[in-house]
Amino acid sequence: MKLFVSVLMLLTLGAVGEVVENFKGHDCENFFLDGEPPEFKTNGIASQVPVEGRYVRICQRYRNKYHYATLYDTAEKIPVYSAYRYERRTECKVKRPTTPWKIEPQLEDNNNGREMALEKNVRKNNRQAYDSDYENSGYNRGHLFPVCQTNSDDSAESTFTLTNAAPQGCAFNKRWYHKVENDVRKSLQNCVNEGRKPYIVTGVVPSDGTPKMANRVNVPVYFWTAYRCCGTNECQFGGYIMHKDTDVTRHVTDMTEFDRKLSKYYKTPITVFKRAGLT
């Protein structure tokens, strides 16, 4: 199985998806614990050059603010992961935006502008998923950074980019929301209210490529999410993994064990959180 990267999209005014060469040293490194992105030891992913290479780093920016970071695989046309901070202190009351799904013009041509666009307004070059791929496919656009883990209308709207989504069957979409996203949100709301800092990475494990949605977009076999909630003296870890065809959620509280499981599924070593993260 292989890995991937990410992209962005947003409302027409002020919506920007910024492709960067490295997350580290950029403002969006703040979405990673200790500024350290997950480490995948495969296919030279750490040294891939944006746009020209397969894996693209995207700082997801909307209305002059960065909201999260995505690593996107332009070969499989799904994200590897999206990384973000959790800052919500109350129950989710953000109304689901009606903003249209968009794509990242810079993935089609590095000379394109940074502003997100509807696919009909971009000359396409087969480097990402398109809204038309999902039409009549039977798959939902599954958010990696979900709406109910955002803390503002702008942040919620910023998640509606196909670089932050991967195909989910309708039944799986509902199971993932109720069994994983809700649990994570409750845990991290407590973390924030206790004055600690939560960091989250949500990703997918690609399938072997069959079947592909619209004959071009990989349908992941696993979705996963992991968080660290860090205070002065300790960091709490939580991780979840769910197969697309099962109702069973694997909840892991040991970080080493979680990395071991993901490494098995990816068939390459992966470290989601690289350091202790104590603050």
Side-chain angles (χ1 to χ4, degrees), residues 49-104:
V49 177
V51 181
E52 291 83 0
R54 171 177 176 175
Y55 300 100
V56 182
R57 299 168 183 86
I58 302 168
C59 290
Q60 306 280 21
R61 177 177 159 185
Y62 180 62
R63 292 184 175 171
N64 296 318
K65 181 179 180 180
Y66 296 108
H67 294 274
Y68 57 107
T70 304
L71 182 66
Y72 194 80
D73 183 348
T74 61
E76 300 291 354
K77 299 169 182 60
I78 55 176
V80 182
Y81 63 74
S82 285
Y84 48 99
R85 292 279 306 276
Y86 188 94
E87 298 176 315
R88 175 179 293 281
R89 292 181 178 274
T90 60
E91 288 297 320
C92 177
K93 295 181 180 179
V94 175
K95 184 178 179 180
R96 186 178 179 89
T98 57
T99 180
W101 288 87
K102 295 183 175 63
I103 65 170
E104 173 52 61

Side-chain angles (χ1 to χ4, degrees), residues 35-49:
E36 294 283 353
E39 183 176 277
F40 292 87
K41 296 181 178 178
T42 181
N43 299 330
I45 189 171
S47 61
Q48 287 281 6
V49 177

Side-chain angles (χ1 to χ4, degrees), residues 10 20 26 43 57 60 84 97 127 129 169-170 178 187-188 196 198 202 229-230 237 257 264 266 270:
L10 288 158
V20 298
H26 191 280
N43 299 330
R57 299 168 183 86
Q60 306 280 21
Y84 48 99
R127 288 176 57 82
C170 183
H178 289 291
S187 296
L188 297 187
R196 294 181 287 163
T202 299
C229 171
C230 294
F237 173 83
E257 176 65 11
K264 177 182 177 181
Y266 280 111
I270 172 176

